[in-house]
Amino acid sequence: MADTLEFNEIYQEVKGSMNDGRLRLSRQGVIFKNSKTGKVDNIQASELAEGVWRRVALGHGLKLLTKNGHVYKYDGFRESEFDKLSDFFKAHYRLELAEKDLCVKGWNWGTVRFGGQLLSFDIGEQPVFEIPLSNVSQCTTGKNEVTLEFHQNDDAEVSLMEVRFYVPPTQEDGVDPVEAFAQNVLSKADVIQATGDAICIFRELQCLTPRGRYDIRIYPTFLHLHGKTFDYKIPYTTVLRLFLLPHKDQRQMFFVISLDPPIKQGQTRYHFLILLFSKDEDISLTLNMNEEEVEKRFEGRLTKNMSGSLYEMVSRVMKALVNRKITVPGNFQGHSGAQCITCSYKASSGLLYPLERGFIYVHKPPVHIRFDEISFVNFARGTTTTRSFDFEIETKQGTQYTFSSIEREEYGKLFDFVNAKKLNIKNRGLKEGMKQSYDEYADSDEDQHDAYLERMKEEGKIREENANDSSDGSGEETDESFNPGEEDDDVAEEFDSNASASSSSGDGDSDRDEKKPAKKAKIVKDRKPRKKQLESKKGKDPNAPKRPMSAYMLWLNANREKIKSDHPGISITDLSKKAGELWKAMSKEKKEEWDRKAEDARRDYEKAMKEYSVGSKSESSKTERSKKKKKKQEKQMKGKVEKKGAASKSLSSAKSPAKNMSESFKSKEFVSSDESSSGESKKEDSEEEGVASLPPSSEESASGSD
């Protein structure tokens, strides 16, 4: 049998919130690491008292009870994993993994049992629900009633506020069942009561978050922050980490306390308590305990009388009471010799400290990022100036942090640090070709750092050129839309045609005056048709070769059916996401195979395009020749038609005077004798036409004859 068992995607139940993480069982004990906070719960094998396997909401769950009464619940197991876990518990912990199902009858009366730090409400032998008494914040009694209030968890979507138990009266004298119930709860509940004297008090300490000056009273189990407006009681069990960080000015010190769960004021949550000290401030401290108690409790870590710098005393007392190590900056040293880097985060200036196992930013808002939750980091060119750069961090959960306005001189030191810690460095260059050079140097030596800076400068030049092109393009947009060469010709023709209508004396002036408005009018008029012409040019030829697919698309087409079979019922969007994850996780060797296929496809495409372009040119030349031939034929036909029209006109003009003359010499008797009822109007019209067409001499002769 294996010495260890590991399970991913296991959820730990904490105050109603399901925290995902990894669970590992070994000979030494059980370890659970929270994926979000990095907090590690370690249960020694010798402390385990009982293990229970049962069906829960997320499949099957494991409940572990320790000898000192603590309860740990883990969900997300599969039913098939029971045998493996049961054998492991027998072999290494000498415990039987019992199977106990919860009662689902829905009854609200039963028996309450107190076992260690657990209150269990049972019906018969089956538990209905269990309450860890360490989650109880207040317990009040009434007539035959006990009310429990609970600590709230901000991570839980729905929180349990209180539970009321009805306790029926008994006939036993001298024993109040309600009081007995309440005492059992209070003996194990996490109810903070400031009883007794404080071990020591630090007066008027400057606090950055929450902002203000506070008196810090140190009690055996909790820390009391007393300010003019607010009071906070912080149990030592909620302290996650301690940091002692030197300020960049070398005259001040930050003392940072990481809290989980955070302290809260209204809707504001404070995950970090940040104190600011001056290095010159000293203090003499006397603990409110006798020397024997100090020696017994702290085992030499503290003494009854101590003196030194204020920040040293506070950090020393906190370390002894919380029993946590104090994290200080490692061997990183910036350009100016400081152990931090000045930068901005969310429009606030602060300090970024590279630590041995993570980064911490102080102070507004404070951010702590562990190396094991970082997916990749990226060095990006500053958006406002070339004298600074941005440092981007993206976590495995997808959260992105951007620390901007870092001085360019800090780049080499920060890159050395990131490279030494073997963090993934991702380049978001503008061109694909740049990625290869960046990947080649990701594990490179210090000698190539300048090459990376040169590449960053090249990116800056490209961005500036693109910005200039876009600004120039905005001014030249109208020129592109109406094609300046054609426009000049059109304007000239327009003015040539207008020149004949204008007087010769005003030609020059009128041209100069009219050119500008005419040009503007032309731009507006011709913009739409020109755009249509451009759009028509962009239309794809169905006979043209198709563009080659990228390496990713080739791989996706080949593996799409496999992904569908592995994930039946997967949607199109989820399929593309899953494919992207698989491609991202693929090794370079496998990707190179698809890169070669994509390169072959690109060569084939270029070859096909050459053949296509040669064929299209020949076809276009043929069509042009046929168009010219048609135009020539149309011109010839037009010329023939015009000649025929001119000949017919000349004939009609030659015949019309003779006809008019013959009609003009008709006498009244002749006209009247030829009249008929059907043709009367026609003759009158012809007579009028003849009179209108006669020359003056013929009209006089006609009048004379009358």
Side-chain angles (χ1 to χ4, degrees):
M1 178 181 288
D3 292 338
T4 60
L5 287 178
E6 291 194 7
F7 301 93
N8 294 323
E9 296 183 6
I10 299 298
Y11 297 85
Q12 182 186 37
E13 191 273 324
V14 180
K15 296 180 187 175
S17 174
M18 306 304 288
N19 301 327
D20 65 315
R22 299 194 304 272
L23 183 71
R24 185 173 70 184
L25 286 77
S26 63
R27 289 176 178 272
Q28 291 75 27
V30 180
I31 299 173
F32 178 82
K33 185 171 184 180
N34 190 320
S35 298
K36 183 179 178 182
T37 62
K39 186 177 181 180
V40 177
D41 289 331
N42 195 345
I43 309 169
Q44 296 296 327
S46 57
E47 295 178 3
L48 289 172
E50 185 182 355
V52 177
W53 176 269
R54 59 191 179 189
R55 184 172 179 79
V56 290
L58 296 174
H60 288 76
L62 180 67
K63 185 182 79 169
L64 301 178
L65 284 81
T66 61
K67 292 176 181 177
N68 56 9
H70 289 289
V71 181
Y72 299 90
K73 297 178 183 178
Y74 303 102
D75 294 2
F77 295 96
R78 291 189 290 271
E79 188 176 6
S80 58
E81 293 169 339
F82 171 73
D83 295 334
K84 184 166 54 174
L85 281 167
S86 179
D87 294 342
F88 192 90
F89 270 69
K90 286 178 185 176
H92 299 295
Y93 305 144
R94 296 178 182 176
L95 290 175
E96 285 285 341
L97 191 60
E99 288 187 84
K100 288 185 181 179
D101 291 330
L102 294 172
C103 180
V104 291
K105 287 183 177 180
W107 295 1
N108 64 343
W109 67 92
T111 306
V112 170
R113 293 187 174 90
F114 292 94
Q117 290 191 343
L118 198 69
L119 181 155
S120 178
F121 184 81
D122 300 344
I123 296 176
E125 294 298 323
Q126 287 184 306
V128 179
F129 62 84
E130 297 167 338
I131 299 175
L133 295 176
S134 58
N135 294 347
V136 176
S137 64
Q138 193 59 261
C139 178
T140 55
T141 59
K143 186 180 179 181
N144 298 331
E145 191 176 77
V146 179
T147 303
L148 305 184
E149 296 180 11
F150 302 99
H151 294 293
Q152 298 305 302
N153 187 354
D154 294 330
D155 295 331
E157 295 181 2
V158 179
S159 295
L160 179 64
M161 303 298 292
E162 67 175 31
V163 173
R164 294 185 181 184
F165 293 94
Y166 173 78
V167 183
T170 59
Q171 301 297 326
E172 297 178 12
D173 295 333
V175 179
D176 186 356
V178 174
E179 287 298 326
F181 190 106
Q183 287 302 319
N184 279 326
V185 172
L186 288 172
S187 63
K188 302 294 183 181
D190 185 16
V191 179
I192 298 175
Q193 297 176 348
T195 56
D197 296 328
I199 295 174
C200 61
I201 301 174
F202 298 99
R203 303 280 183 185
E204 292 289 319
L205 296 185
Q206 184 181 354
C207 197
L208 299 181
T209 55
R211 190 175 180 84
R213 287 193 173 270
Y214 291 84
D215 293 343
I216 296 184
R217 303 173 188 271
I218 306 293
Y219 287 90
T221 57
F222 67 94
L223 177 73
H224 183 198
L225 263 71
H226 176 69
K228 292 180 179 178
T229 310
F230 302 112
D231 275 13
Y232 302 97
K233 292 177 182 177
I234 305 171
Y236 296 139
T237 54
T238 65
V239 175
L240 203 57
R241 294 178 185 86
L242 302 173
F243 302 91
L244 188 61
L245 309 169
H247 197 281
K248 194 172 185 179
D249 60 10
Q250 302 297 327
R251 292 181 296 177
Q252 299 178 95
M253 296 289 291
F254 293 109
F255 185 62
V256 183
I257 303 173
S258 174
L259 303 173
D260 182 36
I263 57 176
K264 50 192 172 184
Q265 183 60 49
Q267 296 300 317
T268 308
R269 303 291 183 267
Y270 298 104
H271 292 269
F272 294 89
L273 179 66
I274 302 180
L275 303 170
L276 183 63
F277 299 97
S278 173
K279 283 187 175 181
D280 301 332
E281 201 171 353
D282 296 333
I283 189 175
S284 295
L285 187 66
T286 302
L287 301 183
N288 191 15
M289 300 169 70
N290 59 45
E291 291 184 0
E292 292 179 2
E293 290 176 347
V294 172
E295 182 64 30
K296 184 179 178 181
R297 173 84 184 267
F298 301 111
E299 299 176 352
R301 289 174 291 178
L302 296 179
T303 57
K304 182 175 175 61
N305 297 305
M306 296 180 290
S307 62
S309 298
L310 179 58
Y311 73 89
E312 287 181 354
M313 293 297 103
V314 173
S315 58
R316 189 174 171 186
V317 170
M318 287 297 297
K319 180 182 178 182
L321 285 165
V322 177
N323 199 19
R324 301 267 184 190
K325 292 181 180 179
I326 294 179
T327 304
V328 297
N331 54 7
F332 175 81
Q333 211 168 31
H335 174 71
S336 60
Q339 293 179 298
C340 57
I341 294 171
T342 304
C343 62
S344 296
Y345 177 65
K346 289 189 176 178
S348 295
S349 181
L351 299 172
L352 180 67
Y353 290 85
L355 308 174
E356 286 301 312
R357 293 186 180 180
F359 295 97
I360 187 168
Y361 172 83
V362 290
H363 80 287
K364 199 172 181 180
V367 177
H368 178 236
I369 309 167
R370 307 185 316 277
F371 288 158
D372 58 1
E373 65 177 334
I374 293 176
S375 176
F376 63 83
V377 301
N378 181 41
F379 294 88
R381 177 181 175 272
T383 55
T384 56
T385 176
T386 56
R387 295 186 178 181
S388 65
F389 67 94
D390 296 349
F391 182 57
E392 300 171 353
I393 300 175
E394 185 162 325
T395 63
K396 293 173 183 175
Q397 285 78 24
T399 309
Q400 186 169 358
Y401 302 91
T402 302
F403 303 98
S404 57
S405 303
I406 304 175
E407 294 179 1
R408 188 172 56 186
E409 290 78 8
E410 301 284 3
Y411 164 74
K413 300 282 186 181
L414 185 58
F415 182 85
D416 287 343
F417 178 83
V418 169
N419 204 25
K421 296 300 178 184
K422 297 181 180 178
L423 297 176
N424 293 326
I425 303 174
K426 181 180 180 182
N427 176 31
R428 297 178 182 174
L430 295 176
K431 293 185 178 179
E432 294 293 330
M434 291 182 181
K435 288 188 178 179
Q436 188 175 359
S437 61
Y438 182 70
D439 291 338
E440 284 178 356
Y441 109 63
D443 299 324
S444 63
D445 300 327
E446 190 178 356
D447 298 335
Q448 291 183 328
H449 292 171
D450 292 338
Y452 179 71
L453 283 173
E454 291 299 325
R455 192 193 58 70
M456 289 178 68
K457 290 177 184 177
E458 289 174 7
E459 284 186 24
K461 289 178 182 177
I462 292 168
R463 291 187 186 180
E464 287 174 2
E465 288 173 4
N466 291 342
N468 293 336
D469 290 344
S470 63
S471 62
D472 293 340
S474 63
E476 294 172 2
E477 188 176 355
T478 54
D479 292 341
E480 291 174 3
S481 65
F482 69 86
N483 198 339
E486 294 180 7
E487 181 61 23
D488 291 340
D489 296 341
D490 294 343
V491 172
E493 288 175 7
E494 184 179 344
F495 284 114
D496 289 344
S497 61
N498 290 339
S500 61
S502 62
S503 63
S504 59
S505 60
D507 278 348
D509 295 337
S510 63
D511 285 351
R512 280 194 297 273
D513 295 336
E514 291 178 5
K515 265 186 183 178
K516 287 184 180 178
K519 195 166 187 178
K520 286 181 182 175
K522 190 69 175 180
I523 293 166
V524 175
K525 287 178 183 177
D526 290 357
R527 185 174 291 174
K528 287 184 180 178
R530 293 293 164 83
K531 281 187 178 178
K532 287 181 181 177
Q533 289 174 7
L534 290 172
E535 287 173 4
S536 63
K537 286 179 183 176
K538 288 180 183 177
K540 290 185 179 179
D541 184 358
N543 298 323
K546 291 185 179 179
R547 287 184 173 276
M549 286 190 286
S550 62
Y552 169 72
M553 289 305 298
L554 289 170
W555 171 83
L556 180 59
N557 288 342
N559 291 272
R560 183 179 278 107
E561 296 302 325
K562 184 177 181 299
I563 296 171
K564 285 183 180 179
S565 62
D566 292 344
H567 304 82
I570 190 170
S571 63
I572 295 172
T573 53
D574 292 338
L575 188 144
S576 60
K577 286 180 184 176
K578 189 67 181 176
E581 292 172 2
L582 294 172
W583 176 259
K584 191 175 180 181
M586 194 183 293
S587 63
K588 286 185 180 179
E589 291 76 13
K590 291 184 179 179
K591 284 185 180 179
E592 284 175 0
E593 177 186 348
W594 295 101
D595 288 337
R596 285 194 296 272
K597 291 182 179 179
E599 185 65 23
D600 294 340
R602 187 181 64 80
R603 290 197 194 96
D604 295 341
Y605 169 74
E606 289 176 354
K607 185 178 178 182
M609 276 301 293
K610 286 180 181 177
E611 295 175 357
Y612 169 74
S613 59
V614 171
S616 61
K617 283 179 182 178
S618 61
E619 287 178 6
S620 61
S621 60
K622 285 179 182 178
T623 54
E624 284 177 6
R625 283 198 296 271
S626 63
K627 282 180 181 178
K628 286 180 180 179
K629 195 172 181 181
K630 283 182 181 179
K631 282 183 180 180
K632 196 173 181 182
Q633 289 175 356
E634 286 174 0
K635 282 183 179 180
Q636 288 175 356
M637 292 295 291
K638 196 174 181 182
K640 288 178 181 178
V641 171
E642 286 176 354
K643 285 179 182 179
K644 286 181 180 179
S648 62
K649 280 181 183 178
S650 60
L651 288 170
S652 63
S653 61
K655 289 179 180 179
S656 60
K659 185 180 179 182
N660 293 336
M661 286 295 289
S662 62
E663 287 178 358
S664 64
F665 285 105
K666 282 184 179 180
S667 63
K668 285 185 178 180
E669 292 82 6
F670 179 78
V671 172
S672 61
S673 63
D674 292 335
E675 280 178 4
S676 64
S677 60
S678 62
E680 188 175 354
S681 61
K682 288 184 180 179
K683 287 181 180 179
E684 286 175 0
D685 291 340
S686 64
E687 188 177 358
E688 287 175 6
E689 287 177 1
V691 173
S693 61
L694 283 174
S697 58
S698 61
E699 285 182 342
E700 288 173 1
S701 60
S703 62
S705 63
D706 291 336

